[in-house]
Amino acid sequence: MAASPVVLVLGAGPRIGASVAEKFASNGYRIAFASRSGSGTKTAEGFLSLKADFTKPDSIPALFDAVKTEFHTSPSVVVYNAAALTNPPEQDSVLSVSAESVALDLNVNTISPYVAAQQAISGWQTLPKETKKTFIYTGNALNVSIIPVPLMMDLGMGKSASAFWIGLADATYSGFRFFYADERHGDGKSKGMDIDGAAHGEFYAQLANHEENVPWHATFVKDKGYVQFK
């Protein structure tokens, strides 16, 4: 009997990350998740907990190595859920954020997920051809909408940059899927901080099954799944 597939969740917070892990576990996946508070051991549920610092992209390959060591296979699904932003020290000056802070936040929002995608592809090449291989990035509406809030500056920069390479990767690789997942209200407006963890878990599981013809820019609504907004 074939071994159960593995999902690696990078950025395992209490809402989206935890819900995604629980949903995939219920679907028979073995779970590895990485966070700043990771223990390096297995949880009571049998999930592999890894400690991560997403401001350091060169630390990402070690997380994939740890997964392969524990489960003797590469993750077929990789979910990138980490994010970072910096509040401008001068509230009315969006460009008062230091270049150093912008660079660190871009590492979290763009460079580390890019390295994770590179690692994912390397591992996918060792998996059976029939295995569905999926990279999912937790996005938001900032790649298509300018929200006039200074706090959103470097988060929006990172989301926008990542949306581009994710879309390009999905368009140019054969046999792999890359998704920029973006939860919306039913009217298409951004969910902001009102995101629903369980809805992400449900939708990400659908994306991993390559159900329907969901595009790389995977906008979705709770209880409806993919919904196209223009």
Side-chain angles (χ1 to χ4, degrees):
M1 184 175 67
S4 299
V6 175
V7 59
L8 171 58
V9 181
L10 299 167
R15 286 195 292 178
I16 295 175
S19 295
V20 168
E22 291 171 5
K23 179 60 181 178
F24 275 83
S26 72
N27 285 355
Y29 280 77
R30 291 173 288 174
I31 310 297
F33 64 84
S35 67
R36 287 175 294 182
S37 58
S39 65
T41 61
K42 281 190 173 182
T43 67
E45 298 86 359
F47 300 171
L48 178 62
S49 171
L50 300 171
K51 189 175 182 62
D53 182 354
F54 299 110
T55 66
K56 298 178 179 178
D58 60 359
S59 70
I60 301 299
L63 301 175
F64 283 79
D65 290 341
V67 171
K68 287 183 282 187
T69 297
E70 178 64 33
F71 296 117
H72 307 292
T73 189
S74 295
S76 59
V77 178
V78 176
V79 174
Y80 193 88
N81 187 54
L85 50 74
T86 297
N87 197 25
E90 299 176 28
Q91 294 301 311
D92 295 329
S93 177
V94 66
L95 298 182
S96 64
V97 177
S98 69
E100 292 78 10
S101 293
V102 171
L104 286 175
D105 290 342
L106 279 174
N107 278 348
V108 177
N109 297 323
T110 301
I111 309 303
S112 283
Y114 180 86
V115 175
Q118 290 180 319
Q119 293 294 307
I121 289 174
S122 178
W124 291 343
Q125 293 170 342
T126 69
L127 298 178
K129 185 176 181 180
E130 64 272 15
T131 300
K132 295 175 180 177
K133 295 109 176 168
T134 314
F135 185 94
I136 304 170
Y137 178 100
T138 300
N140 56 31
L142 290 176
N143 66 309
V144 295
S145 177
I146 302 296
I147 298 175
V149 177
L151 179 62
M152 298 293 102
M153 195 270 293
D154 49 359
L155 181 64
M157 290 172 63
K159 296 294 186 184
S160 298
S162 290
F164 183 85
W165 68 255
I166 289 167
L168 185 59
D170 192 62
T172 55
Y173 282 103
S174 177
F176 307 151
R177 289 303 315 270
F178 296 81
F179 296 103
Y180 178 96
D182 171 8
E183 186 186 10
R184 302 284 186 89
H185 287 290
D187 61 2
K189 292 181 180 179
S190 171
K191 289 281 286 189
M193 294 300 295
D194 191 29
I195 53 177
D196 188 288
H200 281 78
E202 292 289 337
F203 187 59
Y204 286 15
Q206 294 173 20
L207 294 179
N209 286 332
H210 298 187
E211 295 177 359
E212 304 176 358
N213 190 28
V214 180
W216 70 268
H217 190 190
T219 47
F220 70 101
V221 174
K222 181 180 179 180
D223 297 328
K224 291 184 178 180
Y226 171 66
V227 177
Q228 183 180 18
F229 296 104
K230 295 182 179 180

